[in-house]
Amino acid sequence: MTAAPDQPVGQRYTVVPLSVQPEGDDFLVGNADLEEFFQLPAEGVRILTMLRDGATLDAIAASFADRDEAPIDVADFVDSMIEVGFVYPGSDAPRMDERHAERVAAAPRDRRLVFRANRRVAAAIFSPAMLMAYVLIVGAAIACARLSRCAAAARRLRRRRPSRRDADPAADRVLGDDCVP
């Protein structure tokens, strides 16, 4: 395909900084500032790379035709990339930064809460020595809970009348298996 009628022949384009991540057979392409991401085939990524390197629409279309690949409407793809703000016509390159800044300002902001701490304090809180202290504290709490439970069971056992304990064989199991003296 050749350039679209609304795009001058020999037109160069400017591509905003994009992140490209493989995702199966396709690629996840986007701009974190704009918070816009699209899944594109490998051919779309190749067109964006060629645009970034300064190729014209005719040169890109010829490149695809030379490889005997399925015909691709390069002009239509570039128009959609212009629409989403990933590509700007070369004549707009000086204003691209201004337009990109406006779109970034209009994009929704990240509303996550961020905890900030002094690096030395954070390193001390999460150090191996403090981890051992946390383990010891939790272990002591578990031991205290078990001892408290055993002590309560022992008190209940002492309050029982001897005659009743002798008559009830289950009274010997009041402490339970985990409170064996």
Side-chain angles (χ1 to χ4, degrees):
M1 289 278 148
T2 58
D6 58 337
Q7 302 293 337
V9 176
Q11 173 75 51
R12 303 239 186 250
Y13 297 87
T14 304
V15 179
V16 300
L18 297 170
S19 68
V20 178
Q21 299 294 321
E23 192 172 90
D25 292 338
D26 295 330
F27 293 86
L28 187 63
V29 178
N31 183 290
D33 292 335
L34 296 174
E35 295 181 0
E36 290 193 35
F37 295 88
F38 296 93
Q39 191 167 4
L40 299 177
E43 293 83 7
V45 173
R46 199 164 112 218
I47 292 171
L48 288 172
T49 303
M50 293 173 81
L51 286 173
R52 187 189 66 221
D53 293 341
T56 63
L57 295 183
D58 290 334
I60 295 170
S63 166
F64 279 97
D66 289 346
R67 295 183 183 201
D68 295 326
E69 296 178 10
I72 296 174
D73 191 349
V74 176
D76 186 46
F77 176 79
V78 171
D79 283 340
S80 19
M81 292 294 103
I82 290 172
E83 218 174 277
V84 297
F86 287 177
V87 175
Y88 291 93
S91 61
D92 286 350
R95 295 186 313 201
M96 181 200 78
D97 290 333
E98 179 183 312
R99 285 183 180 175
H100 185 67
E102 288 172 7
R103 290 200 60 190
V104 168
R109 292 287 102 207
D110 186 8
R111 299 190 195 291
R112 291 180 290 180
L113 296 176
V114 178
F115 175 76
R116 298 188 196 285
N118 183 327
R119 185 175 284 223
R120 294 174 78 190
V121 171
I125 290 172
F126 297 106
S127 69
M130 288 303 292
L131 178 62
M132 288 301 296
Y134 301 145
V135 169
L136 288 173
I137 290 169
V138 169
I142 292 171
C144 285
R146 287 190 68 193
L147 285 174
S148 174
R149 185 171 158 225
C150 291
R155 280 193 301 274
R156 282 194 307 266
L157 184 61
R158 276 187 251 139
R159 285 190 218 142
R160 291 179 173 244
R161 287 189 254 153
S163 62
R164 194 167 186 217
R165 187 173 58 191
D166 293 337
D168 186 11
D172 292 335
R173 286 184 269 137
V174 170
L175 288 176
D177 294 337
D178 58 341
C179 296
V180 176

